[in-house]
Amino acid sequence: IWDANTGTCLQTLTGHTDFVNSASYSPDGTKIVSASGDKTIKIWDANTGECLKTLTGHNGYVYSATYSPDGTKIVSASGDHNIKIWDANTGSCLQTLTGHNGAVYSASYSPDGTKIVSASFDYTIKIWDANTGTCLKSLTGHTYVVNSASYSPDGTKIVSGSRNKTIKIWGLE
């Protein structure tokens, strides 16, 4: 954990047994969620650095984990081709979203928390209903692996980055 003003390292969180692919704060800043090559997701106390929970259930590297805008859920993306939605308080898996034909490198919520966007090794971006887990749309156009996708702050666009050295902006109207 770094001080954003001074660049000073404030704390180092340890506990994963393989590389850490992502780490992000909860919306209220009290917790941190991390995703690892050890196939786990960890929830940390942002003040003390204590590991509060370890979430297991993916059968491949976990590439990303982020909180929902209201902080009640976590979405994770994995090399097992799946996306999982977790209860951020209990750590229980609420849903598994299936439909990608390759590793899923990122998954994140829309600003209003009603949708999830995912990016995959299968060259696609998928938009999911965050409540039902239904795939609403598959976006194609990248000619190689898609490493990341996320919503614009107003939720009207998606930006994606690919290993083909391109960034695409998708309109959702």
Side-chain angles (χ1 to χ4, degrees):
I1 300 173
W2 303 85
D3 182 302
N5 293 320
T6 66
T8 304
C9 181
L10 303 174
Q11 197 167 83
T12 300
L13 311 182
T14 59
H16 280 295
T17 59
D18 205 335
F19 50 85
V20 178
N21 287 307
S22 77
S24 62
Y25 276 98
S26 60
D28 66 5
T30 63
K31 294 184 182 74
I32 293 169
V33 63
S34 59
S36 174
D38 65 12
K39 303 178 185 176
T40 70
I41 297 145
K42 290 187 181 288
I43 299 172
W44 309 83
D45 183 298
N47 294 315
T48 67
E50 175 190 2
C51 181
L52 303 173
K53 286 188 179 21
T54 299
L55 314 183
T56 59
H58 278 296
N59 294 318
Y61 294 158
V62 185
Y63 290 107
S64 77
T66 58
Y67 278 90
S68 60
D70 66 5
T72 63
K73 294 182 181 123
I74 292 167
V75 63
S76 61
S78 174
D80 63 12
H81 304 194
N82 297 319
I83 299 155
K84 290 188 180 287
I85 299 172
W86 309 83
D87 183 300
N89 294 317
T90 66
S92 63
C93 181
L94 302 173
Q95 278 188 74
T96 300
L97 313 184
T98 60
H100 277 294
N101 295 317
V104 185
Y105 291 118
S106 77
S108 61
Y109 281 90
S110 60
D112 66 5
T114 63
K115 294 180 183 69
I116 292 168
V117 64
S118 59
S120 174
F121 187 86
D122 66 11
Y123 303 13
T124 69
I125 298 143
K126 293 190 183 294
I127 299 171
W128 309 83
D129 182 299
N131 294 314
T132 66
T134 304
C135 181
L136 302 173
K137 192 170 288 199
S138 186
L139 307 177
T140 58
H142 281 291
T143 58
Y144 200 42
V145 174
V146 186
N147 282 339
S148 67
S150 63
Y151 280 90
S152 61
D154 65 4
T156 64
K157 296 186 267 312
I158 288 172
V159 63
S160 59
S162 171
R163 289 189 193 174
N164 70 357
K165 304 173 193 161
T166 64
I167 297 166
K168 291 189 181 291
I169 299 172
W170 308 81
L172 298 177
E173 302 80 37

